[in-house]
Amino acid sequence: MSDAAQPTAAEVRAAAEAVKAALDRHLAAVERRTGDDDPAVYEAFNALATAAEAYDELLYDRYDEVTPFEIPGADGALPPYAGPDEPHALSVLIRRDYAVAEPQRLLAQARRVAEIDGPADTTGPAARAGVSPLAALGVLFGEFEPDEIASRHKEFGLEEGDSTLWVTAAEELPEPGEWLNAPFDHADPERIICRFDVSSVFDEDEDEDEGGDGDGDAEERAGGSGS
């Protein structure tokens, strides 16, 4: 970075003063909090994180130094909430990833399901389900609810990958059929009320910190996140 583009010493000092003021506001909001979900605490928390991050960047640009602070939520956390204060509707968005770990088990289970309501099938859906993984998946997900697939995935020859669940707020329920052609295009992270993530990456975190359960990470609007 050229000298001309560097922040001035006065700008760095002003950023430091902004951090001090944000600290005072955050403490005052915590002292006056009315409950676990007090929006004033959440807003003060975000303001403090923003001020600290700005100061850290200016300090580095000017003096090639860093602060000892880790900014909560800098990587992958919820952005500031921008949804309605009193939502009248909500959407629950779920993604679960699976690997086909045992193809033969998948085929056998799908064929069994396809044959339950009829005689042995040598050319129809049951036969296709017994030889085609694509047809097998169609049979299983057509027969069982997603939650049942999740609880019985090993039985179906599947291996769990990452999963996430988002609860998002809305002013009102969309019109019937409004989003069916593109159900996930309008998922807005700034309207998330809470989310729950499951990933093997949390098992790695547990190895480093034995205090966690390693099963997942939950975040909700309460001035921070918990896991």
Side-chain angles (χ1 to χ4, degrees):
M1 180 182 290
S2 67
D3 289 341
Q6 287 182 347
T8 66
E11 289 173 328
V12 178
R13 173 62 61 181
E17 294 300 325
V19 173
K20 296 175 188 177
L23 274 169
D24 289 338
R25 288 194 298 272
H26 182 258
L27 178 58
V30 170
E31 291 172 337
R32 296 192 304 267
R33 74 186 310 159
T34 58
D36 291 341
D37 298 324
D38 191 333
V41 175
Y42 178 73
E43 292 169 6
F45 174 90
N46 281 328
L48 176 56
T50 299
E53 188 171 12
Y55 171 62
D56 190 85
E57 291 178 358
L58 290 172
L59 186 72
Y60 181 79
D61 290 344
R62 176 68 185 183
Y63 299 109
D64 200 25
E65 288 288 345
V66 296
T67 67
F69 309 124
E70 180 180 354
I71 307 303
D75 297 313
L78 296 178
Y81 180 69
D85 291 334
E86 297 183 9
H88 297 288
L90 58 88
S91 295
V92 179
L93 297 92
I94 301 174
R95 171 173 173 167
R96 298 186 179 115
D97 288 353
Y98 299 96
V100 179
E102 300 181 68
Q104 293 306 313
R105 179 181 290 273
L106 170 70
L107 297 173
Q109 290 284 33
R111 185 180 181 91
R112 181 186 64 78
V113 170
E115 289 179 342
I116 285 177
D117 296 326
D121 183 359
T122 58
T123 60
R128 291 194 296 273
V131 297
S132 166
L134 184 61
L137 290 169
V139 167
L140 291 177
F141 279 88
E143 177 71 17
F144 299 106
E145 294 290 335
D147 286 346
E148 187 169 2
I149 294 285
S151 66
R152 300 173 59 185
H153 63 278
K154 292 183 179 179
E155 179 183 335
F156 302 134
L158 304 177
E159 180 179 301
E160 284 184 312
D162 288 357
S163 68
T164 188
L165 180 150
W166 293 13
V167 180
T168 64
E171 297 283 1
E172 58 186 20
L173 203 64
E175 292 295 324
E178 181 177 329
W179 49 257
L180 290 179
N181 290 331
F184 304 111
D185 281 5
H186 302 294
D188 185 352
E190 293 187 352
R191 286 179 172 254
I192 293 176
I193 300 170
C194 62
R195 64 180 287 177
F196 185 78
D197 301 324
V198 175
S199 173
S200 60
V201 71
F202 301 126
D203 295 330
E204 298 170 8
D205 293 343
E206 184 185 27
D207 292 339
E208 298 173 2
D209 179 6
E210 295 181 357
D213 60 16
D215 290 332
D217 184 68
E219 264 190 280
E220 55 187 274
R221 303 293 181 181
S225 65
S227 56

